Amino acid sequence: MAKTLAQFSITPSGDGEYKLHLEDEDGDTLEFTAQYEQLDLIVDAIDEQLNNDEDEALAVDDDEAGGKDD
């Protein structure tokens, strides 16, 4: 079962790499070392997915907009 992301952080490690910390809802943390290029690929993948979902995510539900039920 997938865990829910609670928070994350990215910090430079000073040697051209970054430490990526992912914390779940239980407080368990995973630490990854990543290079700039890897983080850039992650950003690109997230951006592409959000762009694909943008219309649906920003759509206003008739009930939320004060629309009438038929």
Side-chain angles (χ1 to χ4, degrees):
M1 181 165 87
K3 296 184 177 191
T4 301
L5 179 65
Q7 63 182 354
F8 69 95
S9 65
I10 302 169
T11 55
S13 61
D15 57 1
E17 294 185 335
Y18 298 85
K19 298 289 184 184
L20 174 61
H21 297 89
L22 303 174
E23 183 178 327
D24 69 15
E25 72 274 14
D26 296 327
D28 295 328
T29 302
L30 294 174
E31 179 180 284
F32 297 92
T33 299
Q35 296 178 352
Y36 177 90
E37 293 81 12
Q38 292 171 309
L39 292 179
D40 194 41
L41 289 172
I42 292 170
V43 168
D44 288 345
I46 291 170
D47 191 45
E48 182 177 334
Q49 186 63 55
L50 291 177
N51 284 337
N52 290 339
D53 296 342
E54 184 174 25
D55 289 339
E56 183 179 322
L58 297 178
V60 177
D61 187 11
D62 284 341
D63 292 337
E64 292 175 11
K68 297 179 184 177
D69 290 331
D70 291 317

